[in-house]
Amino acid sequence: MLQTGLIATIATLVSSAVIAETEVKIGYALAPDSHYGVAAQKWQEVVEAQTDGKFTFRHFPSSGLGGEREVVEGLQLGTVEATIVSTGTLSNFVPATGVTDIPFLFRSLDHARNVLDGPIGKGILSEFDSAGLVAIAWGEQGFRHITNNRNAVEKPEDLAGLKLRTMENPVHLAAFNAAGAAPTPMAWPEVIGALQQGTIDGQENPLSVIVSVKLDEVQKYLTLSGHVYSPAMLLVSKPFWEGLSDEDKTAFENGATEAVAAMRQYVDNVEKSGAETLKERGMEVNELSTDQKAAFRASIESAYEGYYETYGKDLIEKISATE
Ligand code: PAF
């Protein structure tokens, strides 16, 4: 009897040790109090609650595992289990993703969310399988805006020769080249140092990033260009995913759905309050009229010819026509 009890106790200890070993390393580029951190925390909470603590999340915020490209490569290798990333580098893994990076394509957050949550967005997610990745859901960062230290930017000519850091993203590069800037693709972990040293004049990111990273400490001018919507994605390593039971997979999917809701709520808030916050912190903020925005859109017309060729005019028009 005593022996049976002992065996049961040992079995429980062994199984909890095995369970405790199911660690989910989750890497992301921004701080725990950013839209990424909030989403990662929600993802963890739901998975933990729905799997009785079978998974332990270990967070690597603020690029703790390197740049976004390196983290995605880690997922492919199976050394990292999960990430929340921008689409900055994703078209290098799944070329179809690039269509969502086209400037002036999405009119509003609602428009973007409808496209990404609908058949076009789902179709792109499904293509990640062939890149050895599991794309669970679309998240977002908001609309990207230009910051710099050289001059106020109110018209395309103000961008002439501006050393502007872009993500390692061919769609964005084409647009800024067409607009006359001097775009410099760079991994995020190098950006703050490059701004401080003056190797680059500026960068572009959504208010969610500019506010949470406190870019106002290294940048003087902010132009509310809203030139491109910035999607994000919740990705899981395929080797990790294939080892999960159906119930575990459902918990990860449910967690991702709630994480996206939390992320979108964060973005909704910062899109309303972010510009004021940055003004209070001392940035010179330039809002653009509809005509001024139209001038920026016109300045990248030649890049659009390339987008039509790469992604198909039909698809781009279908996205524009989505409500
Ligand atoms: O600019 C970027 O590279 C991205 O927007 C960032 C800040 C890494 C968040 O994904």
Side-chain angles (χ1 to χ4, degrees):
M1 191 62 186
L2 186 65
Q3 210 183 7
T4 319
L6 192 63
I7 290 168
T9 311
I10 291 170
T12 311
L13 285 174
V14 169
S15 73
S16 48
V18 170
I19 286 167
E21 274 174 12
T22 312
E23 183 178 78
V24 179
K25 290 187 283 310
I26 179 161
Y28 42 94
L30 301 166
D33 65 355
S34 67
H35 49 303
Y36 285 2
V38 164
Q41 189 57 38
K42 181 55 81 181
W43 204 0
Q44 163 176 352
E45 278 165 25
V46 175
V47 170
E48 281 180 356
Q50 297 191 4
T51 59
D52 292 328
K54 189 169 161 188
F55 297 92
T56 310
F57 276 62
R58 188 160 159 216
H59 292 244
F60 292 86
S62 307
S63 307
L65 295 175
E68 293 191 320
R69 185 176 44 74
E70 285 164 284
V71 176
V72 176
E73 283 167 359
L75 259 70
Q76 286 180 316
L77 294 170
T79 55
V80 183
E81 283 74 35
T83 187
I84 301 177
V85 278
S86 72
T87 50
T89 184
L90 290 181
S91 56
N92 300 309
F93 294 87
V94 177
T97 316
V99 76
T100 67
D101 293 318
I102 295 180
F104 300 106
L105 178 60
F106 294 112
R107 294 180 298 276
S108 63
L109 293 174
D110 281 344
H111 176 212
R113 291 169 186 177
N114 287 343
V115 172
L116 298 179
D117 292 345
I120 294 174
K122 286 188 179 139
I124 297 173
L125 292 183
S126 70
E127 292 201 27
F128 277 71
D129 185 65
S130 54
L133 296 161
V134 181
I136 311 266
W138 288 99
E140 74 180 6
Q141 305 211 81
F143 280 89
R144 299 179 83 89
H145 305 290
I146 298 165
T147 68
N148 86 99
N149 281 330
R150 196 188 70 175
N151 53 267
V153 173
E154 291 173 334
K155 49 188 184 312
E157 295 73 28
D158 297 329
L159 286 175
L162 189 77
K163 281 181 267 154
L164 190 79
R165 177 268 175 175
T166 65
M167 300 196 287
E168 297 162 292
N169 181 302
V171 173
H172 289 190
L173 256 178
F176 283 109
N177 272 321
T184 311
M186 190 182 281
W188 175 249
E190 294 162 39
V191 174
I192 307 292
L195 288 171
Q196 279 165 334
Q197 285 159 19
T199 333
I200 47 173
D201 301 311
Q203 64 85 53
E204 45 85 58
N205 249 305
L207 291 168
S208 57
V209 176
I210 303 172
V211 172
S212 68
V213 176
K214 299 197 174 63
L215 278 174
D216 47 279
E217 291 177 358
V218 286
Q219 293 278 262
K220 182 167 166 43
Y221 302 102
L222 164 65
T223 299
L224 295 173
S225 46
H227 52 278
V228 64
Y229 173 76
S230 193
M233 209 178 266
L234 280 70
L235 290 171
V236 170
S237 154
K238 199 168 165 188
F240 172 72
W241 187 253
E242 283 173 347
L244 297 182
S245 67
D246 286 349
E247 292 76 29
D248 293 341
K249 285 180 183 165
T250 304
F252 273 86
E253 282 162 354
N254 292 342
T257 305
E258 290 203 33
V260 169
M263 200 180 204
R264 287 178 174 173
Q265 183 62 61
Y266 185 111
V267 170
D268 280 339
N269 292 342
V270 76
E271 293 270 313
K272 287 189 197 112
S273 63
E276 206 45 50
T277 306
L278 293 165
K279 258 186 222 165
E280 283 163 16
R281 292 187 193 165
M283 282 191 103
E284 186 180 312
V285 179
N286 289 287
E287 288 177 38
L288 298 183
S289 66
T290 311
D291 285 352
Q292 283 173 312
K293 279 197 180 173
F296 280 97
R297 166 65 183 83
S299 76
I300 64 156
E301 192 51 45
S302 60
Y304 255 79
E305 292 309 319
Y307 303 149
Y308 290 145
E309 232 168 77
T310 308
Y311 301 106
K313 200 169 181 187
D314 282 0
L315 176 60
I316 293 172
E317 284 178 351
K318 208 165 162 192
I319 291 176
S320 298
T322 304
E323 289 299 315

